[in-house]
Amino acid sequence: MEITFLGTGVAIPQRGRVQSGVLVRLEEKPLLIDCGSGVLSRFPEAEISHTEVDTVLLSHLHLDHVADLLCLLKANWLRGKTDMRIYGPEGTEDWLSRVLGAYEYIMDEVDVDVIDLFPGKEFTPEGLDCEITCTAAIHSVPTLAYRVTAADGEFVYSGDTEPCREIMDLATESDLLIHECSYPPGTKVTNHTTPSTLAEILEEYKKEIGSICLTHFYPEMRGHEREAIYRLKGYFEGEVILAEDLMKLEL
Ligand SMILES: [Zn+2]
Ligand SMILES: [Zn+2]
């Protein structure tokens, strides 16, 4: 399984980081997790065709995680690929029918299945060789963290969240935890994570999770990268990685 970070940024524009998106290459077809603004333009840069994607998993419906989804649907349709399955938290189906409703000429041409998920749901996306389970994250809107299990490895993607036990439990005995880390150490913030708040909960799980990759960085994180790694290394035995756009990890 190969994981490509298409976007590691947030709602504020910054050089080198577009909004959230992770592409997971499985044996047959890829899985796209989140599709924020700028993610579509990363496909040619990652040398991946966007028409390969017909399954998208959304952590939540904030714009920095979904803004390019309609653009992806349109780009695929213009290249003759019209089927798509979209999985997301409660409200995803209603949201997509409303935004797609504003573009009838696209809606009439594409064949989109939308599946609302709930914490605890376990499923295998149609046509993909992996299993997915989810749990609730702590964010300002319904948000799901996902565990993706394939033959060659498993990882957890936190979505936007405060650090919480539910996600750590989901990540227990996985190879990799991709966790959001919006702000630098010491920032007082709710609904998001800093290296300090992640470190507090991580100590209990320091032998339970293979490695950690931080992503979803606000511009304020720039210059605090070494500090973030140092802070977490004190509480965690595995590797700590900071994601970059177009970085690839192999499981
Ligand atoms: Zn976000
Ligand atoms: Zn969010």
Side-chain angles (χ1 to χ4, degrees):
M1 171 166 25
E2 183 186 72
I3 298 170
T4 303
F5 291 84
L6 295 175
T8 60
V10 295
I12 311 294
Q14 55 192 306
R15 185 151 32 97
R17 295 191 195 278
V18 301
Q19 297 179 355
S20 294
V22 172
L23 190 93
V24 185
R25 274 201 177 280
L26 298 158
E27 226 148 79
E28 301 279 324
K29 290 195 261 177
L31 167 69
L32 177 63
I33 307 179
D34 285 340
C35 192
S37 172
V39 166
L40 187 58
S41 67
R42 288 290 191 219
F43 275 87
E45 292 173 325
E47 297 182 336
I48 299 163
S49 169
H50 55 83
T51 58
E52 286 186 53
V53 176
D54 55 26
T55 308
V56 181
L57 198 55
L58 300 175
S59 63
H60 64 303
L61 303 176
H62 277 160
L63 274 174
D64 60 314
H65 297 256
V66 302
D68 262 3
L69 190 59
L70 250 59
C71 301
L72 173 62
L73 281 173
K74 179 166 181 180
N76 277 2
W77 162 51
L78 290 173
R79 286 286 180 254
K81 166 95 176 164
T82 54
D83 62 312
M84 181 72 82
R85 269 164 306 282
I86 296 166
Y87 299 85
E90 61 173 294
T92 302
E93 189 176 11
D94 178 53
W95 167 79
L96 194 77
S97 71
R98 284 189 286 139
V99 293
L100 208 46
Y103 295 91
E104 275 184 29
Y105 69 97
I106 302 177
M107 194 165 70
D108 292 345
E109 300 293 339
V110 295
D111 176 18
V112 184
D113 278 341
V114 186
I115 301 100
D116 283 6
L117 302 170
F118 295 90
K121 177 82 177 165
E122 296 183 24
F123 64 103
T124 296
E126 197 185 317
L128 259 60
D129 44 1
C130 69
E131 276 180 26
I132 296 174
T133 57
C134 58
T135 195
I138 300 178
H139 198 44
S140 53
V141 295
T143 299
L144 294 172
Y146 295 104
R147 180 170 176 135
V148 178
T149 304
D152 48 358
E154 46 197 328
F155 71 92
V156 165
Y157 176 82
S158 74
D160 286 7
T161 189
E162 293 178 24
C164 65
R165 204 164 294 282
E166 287 73 15
I167 294 177
M168 292 299 158
D169 288 343
L170 190 70
T172 295
E173 290 179 14
S174 69
D175 302 300
L176 173 71
L177 169 60
I178 300 169
H179 204 288
E180 78 118 290
C181 187
S182 292
Y183 294 101
T187 312
K188 294 272 176 264
V189 66
T190 55
N191 297 317
H192 287 293
T193 296
T194 73
S196 325
T197 58
L198 187 56
E200 278 172 30
I201 200 166
L202 201 54
E203 191 165 23
E204 281 178 52
Y205 296 86
K206 64 180 170 188
K207 292 186 180 177
E208 316 288 338
I209 300 167
S211 33
I212 284 192
C213 182
L214 304 178
T215 187
H216 197 269
F217 302 121
Y218 270 79
E220 289 86 337
M221 267 294 283
R222 205 170 287 260
H224 294 275
E225 292 85 356
R226 280 169 170 271
E227 191 187 352
I229 292 175
Y230 178 78
R231 188 66 70 109
L232 291 181
K233 278 281 191 192
Y235 296 87
F236 184 65
E237 295 193 351
E239 194 178 2
V240 180
I241 305 158
L242 264 61
E244 296 289 337
D245 283 23
L246 300 175
M247 184 181 94
K248 290 178 197 269
L249 293 176
E250 198 81 44
L251 293 189

